[in-house]
Amino acid sequence: GHRTPPPPARSSWAGKSSIINTIKSIFENRPFVNAPAATGSSTSYTLNYKKYSVGRFAIYDVKGLERTSGGVNPDDIINALKGHIKNGYKFGDDPINTDDEFYNISPGLNDKIHCLISVIPASNPSGRGPDGKEAFIDEEMVKKLKNIRENASKLEIPQVVFMTKVDKACPTTKEDLSKIYTSKKIKEKMEVCSNLLNVPMNCIFPVQNYHEENKLDPVLNSLMLDALNPTGPNDYLKSVYESQKHVE
């Protein structure tokens, strides 16, 4: 089957590596903590482009887009979307060179990214957005995210946003995760995110990650599986097939 890497999430403060641990935990029916996560840190723990197998699919983790210097270069995210970066590449300040040993000159369909997942925290506001409401990310990061999203759109790659740390954003949700979709606070957070990044509300999914739990939670699992459902490669692969058939 085709690999389906839902790439990048945005920085460790968002919990992108924890997303991978959570997804692996669900699919393997056991707690999985092999994707290093920088819990409580504002600096990305991830330094390399790393592949994690999940059933028939693959998830690629990347270095985060930091609020300060030292984050992944957006051009490397775009290179990854196109399939030009090989597993194991170490991110630097500058984007990958075409003569780098980890540069894939002729990527095949399985090398390309079939879905882009951006991970934004529901907590950790960084100021106010254009509408006066609290913002999750600063203006510079918004520009980077929009640039990446625009390139993904040109490549016809499906995109979704996972909104993490809902327990820290809403006390009611922290007490009872099943009330997440009736939470006014979570809905407000989704609206702010939608306005900042120009993402439709139905493409934003509030989720909760596993951290130190030693057993799985059916409600948490359900939220994550609902979020993963629209990220499948079917539409992307269908469009590729149709375009190839047209050429032939």
Side-chain angles (χ1 to χ4, degrees), residues 44-75:
S44 181
Y45 193 102
T46 306
L47 300 177
N48 296 74
Y49 190 54
K50 189 167 184 179
K51 172 182 174 181
Y52 293 89
S53 297
V54 182
R56 296 171 55 193
F57 308 114
I59 300 175
Y60 284 85
D61 196 6
V62 303
K63 190 176 184 181
L65 279 176
E66 308 298 351
R67 291 178 172 179
T68 56
S69 61
V72 65
N73 190 302
D75 287 342

Side-chain angles (χ1 to χ4, degrees), residues 4-220:
T4 309
R10 312 298 153 213
S11 114
S12 57
W13 53 272
K16 63 181 181 57
S17 295
S18 294
I19 284 281
I20 294 175
N21 287 334
T22 298
I23 294 172
K24 288 279 286 183
S25 296
I26 294 171
F27 278 84
E28 296 184 5
N29 197 32
R30 64 181 179 86
F32 179 88
V33 291
N34 285 1
T39 305
S41 172
S42 61
T43 304
S44 181
Y45 193 102
T46 306
L47 300 177
N48 296 74
Y49 190 54
K50 189 167 184 179
K51 172 182 174 181
Y52 293 89
S53 297
V54 182
R56 296 171 55 193
F57 308 114
I59 300 175
Y60 284 85
D61 196 6
V62 303
K63 190 176 184 181
L65 279 176
E66 308 298 351
R67 291 178 172 179
T68 56
S69 61
V72 65
N73 190 302
D75 287 342
D76 266 344
I77 302 297
I78 297 168
N79 280 321
L81 294 176
K82 296 177 180 179
H84 287 308
I85 297 183
K86 298 178 182 179
N87 182 42
Y89 167 70
K90 185 174 182 179
F91 295 102
D93 294 333
D94 298 317
I96 191 170
N97 292 318
T98 55
D99 58 353
D100 191 292
E101 63 175 313
F102 285 95
Y103 188 87
N104 186 352
I105 298 178
S106 302
L109 186 59
N110 282 347
D111 299 314
K112 299 176 182 179
I113 299 304
H114 300 164
C115 179
L116 171 64
I117 297 178
S118 299
V119 181
I120 304 293
S123 57
N124 302 331
S126 63
R128 299 284 169 178
D131 57 2
K133 295 183 178 180
E134 67 178 25
F136 307 104
I137 47 182
D138 57 39
E139 186 177 349
E140 188 62 31
M141 286 190 67
V142 170
K143 289 180 180 179
K144 292 178 181 179
L145 283 166
K146 285 185 175 180
N147 177 35
I148 293 168
R149 284 177 49 78
E150 287 171 3
N151 277 274
S153 295
K154 291 177 183 178
L155 296 169
E156 299 184 344
I157 296 174
Q159 306 168 47
V160 294
V161 173
F162 283 9
M163 181 172 287
T164 58
K165 300 188 177 181
V166 293
D167 57 329
K168 294 184 179 180
C170 175
T172 302
T173 298
K174 183 176 182 179
E175 292 179 7
D176 186 352
L177 190 58
S178 66
K179 294 182 179 180
I180 189 169
Y181 285 117
T182 59
S183 167
K184 292 183 179 180
K185 287 189 177 182
I186 296 302
K187 183 179 180 181
E188 289 176 357
K189 301 286 187 179
M190 293 171 65
E191 289 174 344
V192 173
C193 182
S194 176
N195 291 333
L196 279 175
L197 301 179
N198 296 325
V199 179
M201 286 285 283
N202 62 359
C203 292
I204 301 174
F205 297 89
V207 296
Q208 180 67 22
N209 285 326
Y210 284 116
H211 295 290
E212 298 177 353
E213 294 84 353
N214 56 15
K215 63 179 181 179
L216 304 186
D217 181 338
V219 177
L220 188 155

Side-chain angles (χ1 to χ4, degrees), residues 209-236:
N209 285 326
Y210 284 116
H211 295 290
E212 298 177 353
E213 294 84 353
N214 56 15
K215 63 179 181 179
L216 304 186
D217 181 338
V219 177
L220 188 155
N221 290 359
S222 180
L223 281 175
M224 184 61 71
L225 291 173
D226 285 345
L228 285 171
N229 187 48
T231 69
N234 293 344
D235 292 340
Y236 172 81

